[in-house]
Amino acid sequence: IVYSNSVASMVKLLEMEDALLENLSAYANELQEKLETIKLYEQLLKKRPRMKSYEAAEEYVANPLNALALLRRLQQDWPKWLKYIKADSLQLEQMEERLKQAPSKRDLRNAVSKLLHLENFYDLETSHMIKGLLLEQQYDAQLDSVDCFALGNYLFRRNAFSRSTHWYRNAIRIYKEPYSKIYSKVYGVKLHKIYRQYARAIANETYILEKPKDKSTQEWAAAGAIVTRLVEDAKNKDIKRLIEQYLAGDEQIFIKDRARLRVKPTQLQSACRAESPTPSSSNLYCRYDRESSAFLKLAALKIEMLRLQPAVKLFHQVLHDKEIATLKQWSKEQTNWSSTSAVKSYALPADQLRLVDKLNSRIADMMQLDIAKHQELHLLNYGLGAHLGDPRCKSNSKSKHVACQLQGNYTKQATSSRQATMLFAASTVPLGGAVVFPKMQLTLKLPKGSALFWSNLNAIGKRDALANYVICPVLVGSRW
């Protein structure tokens, strides 16, 4: 169309410009609303404490709630912010470059899996977890509605419908203004989506858990398909109304109902939760060792005898703060850690760290054994919810059980080539992380700077099954 050759045609251009002006005004309002949304998220992030030291940062991410929320934000939320802003700037280029190093989806799935494992292992209440209440200890950490929705979805996709309902329910309860604007407009997590997913979980939970004895599998499968179809066909407003009626009661109702269905903990879970007391013995004692070497006359070893057969000893204050700092600083400079989904490990090189020979000499005094001067030592740092060892895993076993796979190469239990084990604690773990000897009914929390020694062989030189051990999942803290 040629507009310049007709006044009438030019009128159409005025109409077009008026429409464009309306579009521009609407877009300006949208930008203002977007700016307000960005400012809102900025305020939300500023609530997270700023870390002034490496130790403070490590303590912050050692809390699994903080770790999960951080991983999920960087893996899911920040890319969505880039998409939401849609503007060319140096800041965005820098953000895009940094996000190339963001956690992968696999990393996030792993973090979700570990947090849910902690929930199940320590029998944590979902509504308490999202507020930072872990084993009756209150922490400055919390999960938001999007975190809860992600955790619920993970369980739902794995057919753990009953457990997923607790996360969906809490996602709904804490979906509040003003942050609901961020959830819906930036993340695409709208409240009606959570309502519908919660309804799906309830329907599937009922279908799986409550099959009548007089119904065949085929009949019950057909019934389940009908219920699922009803949920899918229902209108959002109807689902919202029914869910709100269902949630009208106090959260304590759901907590009590969940407690009623709780399964009895295993022996290992009871030990890790400190629910099963360690048996005491009148034969045990504490003493100072000043005789094993000339050096000990100046600096005696503080020894707590925990068991006589097999020998289990706890040495106090044998790894000093300066030595721990040296090991951690050295670890920051390394790039070739060995790792599993549970821990990162590095063999300490004697040719690079003078501390290794010093530690080996100390170990020789402590164990009263003739060990090689350059005995290989390993530095380990545990991941989110990590644990090692399992009484079901035998030495050199090729079991496919997840607990045995986590055991990896780091806790090969008491083989014929290992006469004894010395385990140093380079940190104190606030919650979880206890060392358990299931067959001895012995549960130990190691203080920072201590070392645990035990014999792996019995009197005839064979592997002692009593020496099999487990390190409980770390709930809060960084275990070194």
Side-chain angles (χ1 to χ4, degrees):
I1 300 174
V2 179
Y3 294 101
S4 59
N5 63 358
S6 169
V7 172
S9 296
M10 293 294 293
V11 171
K12 293 181 180 180
L13 294 181
L14 286 174
E15 294 172 352
M16 184 184 298
E17 188 171 63
D18 287 341
L20 286 171
L21 180 57
E22 289 180 6
N23 292 144
L24 183 63
S25 298
Y27 182 60
N29 291 334
E30 291 174 3
L31 286 178
Q32 182 62 40
E33 184 178 355
K34 186 176 289 188
L35 178 61
E36 292 171 359
T37 303
I38 293 170
K39 287 289 186 182
L40 189 63
Y41 189 59
E42 180 186 21
Q43 293 172 16
L44 183 64
L45 285 183
K46 283 182 177 179
K47 291 182 178 181
R48 176 177 68 74
R50 294 297 178 267
M51 306 308 156
K52 297 183 179 180
S53 68
Y54 174 84
E55 288 74 16
E58 181 175 291
E59 181 180 357
Y60 180 82
V61 298
N63 187 302
L65 303 182
N66 290 332
L68 184 280
L70 178 62
L71 275 161
R72 195 197 59 74
R73 284 199 303 270
L74 287 169
Q75 207 285 320
Q76 291 185 341
D77 295 356
W78 280 103
K80 290 178 181 177
W81 274 110
L82 288 178
K83 185 176 180 181
Y84 180 70
I85 295 170
K86 282 187 178 178
D88 294 329
S89 75
L90 178 60
Q91 298 299 324
L92 287 183
E93 290 176 5
Q94 291 178 349
M95 289 167 65
E96 288 176 343
E97 188 63 30
R98 289 186 172 120
L99 281 173
K100 291 178 181 179
Q101 304 298 318
S104 65
K105 289 183 178 180
R106 181 180 178 183
D107 201 358
L108 176 59
R109 284 196 301 269
N110 184 54
V112 168
S113 173
K114 291 296 179 58
L115 183 61
L116 292 171
H117 172 64
L118 290 172
E119 176 199 25
N120 183 59
F121 191 92
Y122 286 108
D123 192 27
L124 303 175
E125 171 53 46
T126 308
S127 60
H128 294 168
M129 289 180 70
I130 66 174
K131 300 173 185 176
L133 183 61
L134 304 173
L135 296 182
E136 300 183 355
Q137 299 289 323
Q138 183 63 56
Y139 291 90
D140 185 17
Q142 57 276 319
L143 299 177
D144 63 22
S145 186
V146 180
D147 294 325
C148 294
F149 189 55
L151 288 159
N153 286 341
Y154 180 91
L155 290 166
F156 187 92
R157 287 192 293 267
R158 284 153 182 80
N159 296 330
F161 303 117
S162 181
R163 288 183 64 193
S164 74
T165 61
H166 301 294
W167 290 102
Y168 290 138
R169 183 176 69 254
N170 283 283
I172 291 170
R173 290 196 188 280
I174 62 175
Y175 195 99
K176 304 291 185 182
E177 295 288 352
Y179 303 118
S180 57
K181 183 187 296 184
I182 295 175
Y183 304 154
S184 61
K185 293 192 175 184
V186 182
Y187 309 147
V189 179
K190 301 187 177 185
L191 188 56
H192 72 81
K193 286 186 177 182
I194 307 178
Y195 276 125
R196 187 172 293 275
Q197 195 66 3
Y198 186 29
R200 291 185 182 116
I202 292 173
N204 280 281
E205 175 188 28
T206 304
Y207 164 65
I208 285 179
L209 296 180
E210 299 183 5
K211 176 182 176 296
K213 294 181 180 179
D214 61 346
K215 294 289 185 183
S216 68
T217 302
Q218 291 79 5
E219 287 177 312
W220 196 240
I226 291 171
V227 172
T228 301
R229 189 71 265 162
L230 288 172
V231 173
E232 297 304 322
D233 292 343
K235 295 181 179 178
N236 288 335
K237 64 178 183 179
D238 293 331
I239 290 179
K240 181 176 183 291
R241 174 176 53 82
L242 291 171
I243 293 294
E244 287 181 345
Q245 289 176 359
Y246 181 62
L247 296 182
D250 188 81
E251 180 66 21
Q252 289 299 318
I253 297 173
F254 296 95
I255 294 175
K256 290 177 181 178
D257 189 55
R258 187 179 188 183
R260 181 176 57 83
L261 299 173
R262 186 173 293 134
V263 298
K264 183 180 179 180
T266 64
Q267 180 187 357
L268 176 60
Q269 286 175 322
S270 294
C272 288
R273 297 173 191 173
E275 294 174 352
S276 56
T278 296
S280 59
S281 172
S282 58
N283 295 327
L284 305 183
Y285 56 86
C286 298
R287 69 182 180 89
Y288 284 93
D289 180 5
R290 296 185 174 88
E291 309 300 328
S292 298
S293 73
F295 177 75
L296 294 183
K297 295 183 183 297
L298 300 175
L301 291 172
K302 302 174 184 177
I303 306 173
E304 186 177 350
M305 197 71 189
L306 301 173
R307 182 157 178 124
L308 300 177
Q309 186 60 40
V312 180
K313 304 177 185 178
L314 181 62
F315 294 85
H316 292 270
Q317 301 173 359
V318 289
L319 190 61
H320 310 303
D321 287 346
K322 185 176 289 188
E323 294 171 335
I324 292 172
T326 298
L327 291 171
K328 287 186 177 181
Q329 180 59 40
W330 176 83
S331 71
K332 294 178 189 178
E333 301 166 2
Q334 308 311 306
T335 57
N336 55 338
W337 286 78
S338 299
S339 65
T340 68
S341 61
V343 299
K344 285 186 175 181
S345 170
Y346 201 96
L348 297 176
D351 58 337
Q352 296 179 30
L353 276 172
R354 293 175 57 189
L355 180 58
V356 173
D357 284 343
K358 186 176 180 181
L359 289 176
N360 270 319
S361 296
R362 192 175 306 161
I363 292 170
D365 289 340
M366 294 161 67
M367 298 176 72
Q368 298 182 27
L369 294 173
D370 184 17
I371 62 174
K373 183 179 180 181
H374 297 302
Q375 179 81 10
E376 188 172 68
L377 305 179
H378 286 84
L379 178 67
L380 278 69
N381 184 232
Y382 288 59
L384 174 63
H387 73 281
L388 290 180
D390 191 279
R392 292 164 292 190
C393 309
K394 299 184 183 299
S395 176
N396 300 321
S397 169
K398 295 183 179 179
S399 170
K400 294 186 181 300
H401 190 281
V402 63
C404 302
Q405 292 174 350
L406 286 175
Q407 186 170 307
N409 295 321
Y410 310 119
T411 58
K412 290 181 179 177
Q413 316 251 5
T415 64
S416 58
S417 62
R418 182 183 291 177
Q419 185 175 350
T421 298
M422 181 72 75
L423 182 67
F424 284 89
S427 63
T428 297
V429 179
L431 282 181
V435 181
V436 175
F437 295 87
K439 291 185 179 296
M440 288 191 265
Q441 296 184 324
L442 187 62
T443 300
L444 304 167
K445 291 280 288 184
L446 305 186
K448 179 182 177 183
S450 65
L452 185 65
F453 165 90
W454 66 89
S455 299
N456 291 321
L457 307 182
N458 59 23
I460 60 174
K462 299 293 185 180
R463 184 175 67 85
D464 195 335
L466 291 173
N468 287 348
Y469 73 101
V470 179
I471 295 178
C472 300
V474 176
L475 182 53
V476 175
S478 176
R479 184 186 179 92
W480 288 84

